Amino acid sequence: MQRLLSLFPFPLLALNQSTPLCRCLYGDACWPTTSDFSSLQSQISRPLIYPIPTASACYPLSSPSENCTDIQTNWHNGTWRAGHPGSMDSTNYESFISRNGSISACYVNTTLGVPCEQGNVPVIGVDARSVSDVQAAVKFAASHNLRVAIKNTGHDFTGRSAARNSFMIWTHHLNNITLNPTFVPEGAPAMETYDAITIGSGVIWNDAYNAVAAQGRMLIGGISAGGSVGAAGGWLQGGGHSAFSPLHGLGVDNVIEIKLVTAAGEYLTANAHQHSDLFWALRGGGGGTWGVLTSVTYQTHPTFPVTTVFFNATATNTTVIKKLFTEFVRIHPALSTASFGGYAIATSTSLNFLYSLPNGTDARANASFDSFFGLARSLAVEGLEIATQETGTYDSFNQWFQSIFQTIPTDGGIVELASRLLPTVLFAEDEYEAFADKLFTVAGYQIIWNFVAGGAVSKVDPDSTGLNPAWRESLVEAIWGVRWNEGATYSEIERMRAWLAATMEQVSAIMPGAGSYFNEVRHETGSLFEPTPKETYFGSHYDRLKEIKDEYDPNGLFIVGAGVGSDEWVDDLNCRRSD
C-alpha cells in the first residue's frame, strides 16, 4: 500500500495525536498497519481498493498509460465516473485546498504542467458487495478511529463522499433491483401492501426507471443528464426532488423502507414500524450522517403520458428579459395547481425552460402558458427573439426521460452552488413583481429554477419526516453558482467564492429565514458561506435530528460538512472542538 500511495507525493496533514479528539488519518502514527488491513481483507469479499484521482492515468506526463485517452473521452460522463471510486461528479471535490492556499489536485489538462497528487480522494477503502462487507468496513473504521467517506456514485455538489486521507466505503456495486407488487414492510400488518421497488445503494436512476417501466410503472427520482445520480443514497436522505414531485411528492414522501448499517455495525431495517425515529431522520436529515445505506424500497406509481413545453428566448436588452421573467414568476401558482413541474434557466439575456404536465395534452399545456406566450410575442418589438416555443407529448414517463435526458449524458465539471427555497407567499399577486425584480437583480448572470415543490409536496405534514419544513411552504428551488477552469489559482477561486457568498447574503435579505436544499449548496471547509446551516438546511427539526444522531452515532463516526452534529467538529472535520 505504501508503494502505491507514494505515486502521489501529497503533503500529509499534521494533527496532534496526543488527544483522542481527532480522527486517525493516513500518514499519522496511529494509521492501521499492514497487518491490520490484512485482517480486514480476510473479512471482506473483494480486494481492498486504493482510489486514485480520475486523471491519474495521464501521468507521468512523459509516459501516460493507454487509459488516458479513455479518461479524456469520458471526463464529463457521469455514468462512467460513477464506476470509479476516486471520481467525483463535481471534479473540484477531487482537489484539496489547504489553509495556506496550496492546491493538491490531478488535472486532466496536462498542459498545465502540474504534478498529479491525491488531493481530496480517500486513500484506501472497501468495495462493498454485501451487507457483511459494509459491516466489516464500518467496524474497522470505528475501531481505528478513521475518517470515513461513504460513496455510491459521487454525485455530490458539496463533496461529502470524499475526504482527504480518509477510508472509503464504496457501495457502487450494491446494485440489486427487486420488484414486488405486494410489498409488506417489516413489522407491518399483512394488509399494508405497496407496489414497490427495492434497490441497492449503488443503483442509478436510469436503471431504476427502466426496471419499473417494464411493469408499466414509474417512480419519483432524480432527473439528471444520463440518469447517473445514485437512487438510494444522498439524493433521498437530503429530500430528493423531481419534476414530478408536484404530482407525487418528494423522494422522502415515497420511500417505504430503508436498510442500513449503523456506526455500531448493526444491520437495521428502518420504516414506520421499526426504528421509526431513525426512519424519520433518514428522510431529510442529510446523507453521510446516519449510517451506510444498503438498500431502499420506494412505492411506484402507474405511468402516464407527459406533455412538455419547451421555450427559449433571448434579448440583448436586460430589461426585456426581466419583464418576461416577472411574468414567468407570476404564473407559477396556477402552474402548480395544474401539476406542472420542470426546470428553467434565466440569465440577463435569456430565459429557457422545460416544463412538463402529467396526463396532459398540447392544448391544456398551451392554455396554461397563454398569457406568458402572449407577452413574449409582444416583446418582439423590444428585441426579444423566441428561438423555441413548442409542446410535445410522450406516451410514458420513461419515454419522456429517455428521449430528453439520455440524449445529454454530460455531467461532471467544476461548480460550487448556492440555493434557496422560494416560499409560496412570495408568488402572491401583491408580492411577485417586487420579488422577481430583486431576485433577478441579485442573483446575477444565471438562475437555475427548479420547479419541484408545491402541489403534493405542500400537502404533506411538515413534521412527518426529518426534512426541512421549509420545503412544504415553498414552490421553487432557485440555484446559482460559480465555475472556474482547472488550474485556477487560490486567489481566483476565493474571489469567485466571495461573490457567491455576497449574493447569498443579498438573497437572504430578500427572504429572511428561507430554507435551502441540503443536496444543492456549497459548504467548503472553513467557510462562513452559510452562517446558520442548522436553521437553513434543517429548520425546526434540527434539535430532534441531533438527538437521534447522538443515539445511533454517539461518537460521530459519520460526519459531513454542514451535516447534523458537524458543528461539534473543527472546520476540516478531523478533530472535535475543545470548547
Side-chain angles (χ1 to χ4, degrees), residues 1 31-50 124-127 132-144 146 167-169:
M1 181 186 69
W31 186 253
T33 65
T34 300
S35 176
D36 293 329
F37 281 114
S38 294
S39 176
L40 172 62
Q41 180 65 79
S42 69
Q43 301 170 51
I44 57 179
S45 63
R46 302 285 293 183
L48 289 166
I49 55 173
Y50 299 87
I124 192 170
V126 170
D127 176 6
S132 61
D133 283 349
V134 175
Q135 289 178 300
V138 169
K139 291 176 181 178
F140 182 84
S143 66
H144 291 279
L146 305 182
F167 175 79
M168 174 182 284
I169 301 175

Side-chain angles (χ1 to χ4, degrees), residues 283-577:
R283 291 176 292 157
T289 300
W290 310 98
V292 183
L293 273 60
T294 59
S295 68
V296 171
T297 301
Y298 293 100
Q299 63 178 321
T300 68
H301 305 277
T303 194
F304 41 72
V306 179
T307 300
T308 294
V309 180
F310 301 89
F311 181 86
N312 181 34
T314 60
T316 57
N317 186 333
T318 298
T319 302
V320 174
I321 293 295
K322 186 182 289 186
K323 288 180 182 179
L324 192 63
F325 179 72
T326 301
E327 175 63 11
F328 184 63
V329 171
R330 187 192 72 80
I331 64 175
H332 270 74
L335 295 178
S336 178
T337 300
S339 294
F340 271 97
Y343 311 97
I345 299 177
T347 74
S348 59
T349 58
S350 67
L351 175 63
N352 67 80
F353 61 81
L354 184 160
Y355 273 20
S356 295
L357 177 64
N359 295 306
T361 63
D362 288 5
R364 281 181 57 203
N366 283 319
S368 297
F369 283 90
D370 190 50
S371 65
F372 176 84
F373 289 152
L375 175 63
R377 288 190 295 269
S378 72
L379 290 173
V381 297
E382 298 182 43
L384 185 74
E385 295 185 8
I386 301 175
T388 306
Q389 180 187 320
E390 62 184 46
T391 59
T393 298
Y394 301 85
D395 292 339
S396 66
F397 162 83
N398 202 45
Q399 186 190 62
W400 170 86
F401 178 81
Q402 299 296 334
S403 298
I404 298 173
F405 291 92
Q406 281 296 86
T407 61
I408 47 172
T410 299
D411 286 311
I414 294 172
V415 61
E416 288 190 356
L417 301 175
S419 77
R420 273 295 181 269
L421 298 172
L422 308 184
T424 304
V425 294
L426 295 179
F427 292 80
E429 283 294 330
D430 58 346
E431 294 280 351
Y432 80 90
E433 195 165 4
F435 163 61
D437 178 72
K438 291 177 181 177
L439 183 62
F440 187 86
T441 301
V442 167
Y445 67 96
Q446 185 180 86
I447 305 169
I448 300 172
W449 185 268
N450 290 337
F451 186 23
V452 293
V457 176
S458 65
K459 296 174 183 177
V460 175
D461 179 357
D463 295 326
S464 64
T465 71
L467 182 69
N468 188 343
W471 269 103
R472 310 303 180 182
E473 301 171 351
S474 300
L475 204 57
V476 169
E477 180 207 11
I479 306 174
W480 61 104
V482 292
R483 294 180 180 272
W484 59 85
N485 294 324
E486 282 192 331
T489 65
Y490 175 74
S491 60
E492 291 170 336
I493 294 171
E494 286 302 293
R495 185 167 59 252
M496 284 181 276
R497 287 175 170 173
W499 176 86
L500 196 60
T503 57
M504 189 73 264
E505 287 185 18
Q506 293 171 312
V507 171
S508 296
I510 297 173
M511 39 189 164
S516 182
Y517 183 31
F518 188 65
N519 284 348
E520 291 173 341
V521 295
R522 172 191 162 229
H523 179 82
E524 186 66 21
T525 297
S527 171
L528 296 179
F529 175 71
E530 181 57 73
T532 58
K534 294 179 183 179
E535 294 80 5
T536 303
Y537 302 142
F538 306 105
S540 60
H541 288 162
Y542 185 85
D543 289 345
R544 184 182 176 197
L545 288 167
K546 182 60 168 62
E547 290 176 0
I548 298 170
K549 171 72 171 173
D550 289 344
E551 178 182 351
Y552 286 92
D553 186 14
N555 296 320
L557 180 65
F558 304 119
I559 296 293
V560 296
V564 174
S566 63
D567 61 313
E568 296 179 353
W569 296 73
V570 296
D571 294 337
D572 60 11
L573 302 180
N574 290 326
C575 294
R576 285 188 181 273
R577 297 188 184 279

Side-chain angles (χ1 to χ4, degrees), residues 91-314:
T91 59
N92 42 308
Y93 292 112
E94 293 181 26
S95 303
F96 179 83
I97 301 177
S98 68
R99 290 171 178 169
N100 65 11
S102 63
I103 300 175
S104 175
C106 188
Y107 299 132
V108 72
N109 181 5
T110 57
T111 64
L112 294 170
V114 178
C116 178
E117 297 182 341
Q118 189 78 3
N120 206 43
V121 177
V123 295
I124 192 170
V126 170
D127 176 6
R129 305 295 178 107
S130 66
V131 170
S132 61
D133 283 349
V134 175
Q135 289 178 300
V138 169
K139 291 176 181 178
F140 182 84
S143 66
H144 291 279
N145 192 32
L146 305 182
R147 175 75 184 276
V148 174
I150 306 168
K151 179 177 184 287
N152 61 358
T153 67
H155 284 72
D156 189 339
F157 286 121
T158 60
R160 285 181 284 254
S161 51
R164 184 167 172 79
N165 294 329
S166 68
F167 175 79
M168 174 182 284
I169 301 175
W170 193 38
T171 64
H172 176 70
H173 291 108
L174 295 176
N175 50 22
N176 288 339
I177 297 177
T178 303
L179 298 169
N180 186 342
T182 57
F183 179 84
V184 179
E186 290 186 20
M191 69 283 295
E192 184 183 326
T193 64
Y194 300 86
D195 195 319
I197 179 173
T198 300
I199 54 181
S201 60
V203 172
I204 63 174
W205 279 117
N206 185 58
D207 293 341
Y209 293 150
N210 284 333
V212 297
Q215 307 299 318
R217 310 287 290 182
M218 64 84 63
L219 75 161
I220 295 298
I223 308 297
S224 67
S228 53
V229 170
W235 178 87
L236 168 65
Q237 294 172 82
H241 67 60
S242 163
F244 299 94
S245 289
L247 176 68
H248 285 310
L250 298 165
V252 295
D253 305 323
N254 284 269
V255 64
I256 304 166
E257 187 168 275
I258 299 171
K259 293 181 181 291
L260 74 160
V261 175
T262 67
E266 294 181 286
Y267 180 50
L268 300 182
T269 298
N271 58 35
H273 307 277
Q274 298 181 170
H275 301 290
S276 58
D277 56 344
L278 184 57
F279 187 53
W280 182 87
L282 285 162
R283 291 176 292 157
T289 300
W290 310 98
V292 183
L293 273 60
T294 59
S295 68
V296 171
T297 301
Y298 293 100
Q299 63 178 321
T300 68
H301 305 277
T303 194
F304 41 72
V306 179
T307 300
T308 294
V309 180
F310 301 89
F311 181 86
N312 181 34
T314 60

